[in-house]
Amino acid sequence: MAGGGTVDLIRLADGESSLEVRVLGRTMPGVLTLHDHLDAELVVTSGFAHGRLDVCLAPEDLDSWSRVLGELAAGRDAVWMDDGRNPEIRFEPSGRQGAAVCVVEDLAASGTSVRVPVRLAGGWADEHVERLHRVRAAWPQEAAETSPGAYEWRR
């Protein structure tokens, strides 16, 4: 996978609308400070709109996604990538059982936001935990920050 393939980290789709985050590979392989950052694309599709944004996922974004999955699986609102580096993604359970509204806001770069409702398939949370495991298996963390601003390769 890491040898040129992509891995879907997020794929919420119901035939009408979708939100996808595809991991494309390492941002700067071999550069110690950025080796574990991942290039990805965020794609939102609905009957009305289609948009694509490039994003860079830091290791802490994957940790945060794991926590967000827990919140979503419990039926609570959650926000992912709200640090200003990437578009913010909010997940809001809708009043309909098994559905969520995905809100993507790229206010810092393009000034654009979009809301798409998505019906969630049965087992979606377990599937997304597995997707996260596949991303981490394809691109494991290989650098460690030993002190602020100081990095070394993991052994």
Side-chain angles (χ1 to χ4, degrees):
M1 271 187 259
T6 64
V7 178
D8 286 344
L9 176 63
I10 301 173
R11 186 162 193 331
L12 299 173
D14 64 11
E16 296 176 27
S17 300
S18 67
L19 171 78
E20 299 174 80
V21 175
R22 292 184 195 109
V23 179
L24 308 172
R26 292 193 188 275
T27 298
M28 297 186 77
V31 176
L32 189 58
T33 55
L34 295 173
H35 181 79
D36 289 338
H37 288 67
L38 302 174
D39 286 334
E41 63 181 1
L42 184 149
V43 180
V44 179
T45 307
S46 74
F48 178 74
H50 177 81
R52 182 192 164 286
L53 293 167
D54 293 326
V55 296
C56 178
L57 301 177
E60 55 268 18
D61 293 325
L62 297 180
D63 296 338
S64 173
W65 176 238
S66 179
R67 289 187 297 276
V68 166
L69 277 173
E71 294 296 310
L72 294 172
R76 293 187 288 269
D77 290 4
V79 180
W80 187 49
M81 297 194 305
D82 59 348
D83 59 5
R85 284 185 307 105
N86 287 311
E88 177 180 288
I89 304 175
R90 285 193 322 270
F91 302 91
E92 304 166 352
S94 76
R96 298 179 301 162
Q97 182 67 10
V101 175
C102 303
V103 181
V104 178
E105 290 187 327
D106 186 35
L107 301 179
S110 70
T112 304
S113 66
V114 64
R115 297 174 60 89
V116 293
V118 178
R119 287 184 304 278
L120 303 173
W124 71 269
D126 292 336
E127 175 187 327
H128 279 78
V129 168
E130 180 56 36
R131 289 178 184 279
L132 177 58
H133 290 313
R134 283 196 299 264
V135 167
R136 286 183 163 157
W139 297 285
Q141 283 190 298
E142 296 176 338
E145 188 171 16
T146 56
S147 62
Y151 295 83
E152 67 181 30
W153 294 107
R154 293 182 192 268
R155 299 185 201 285

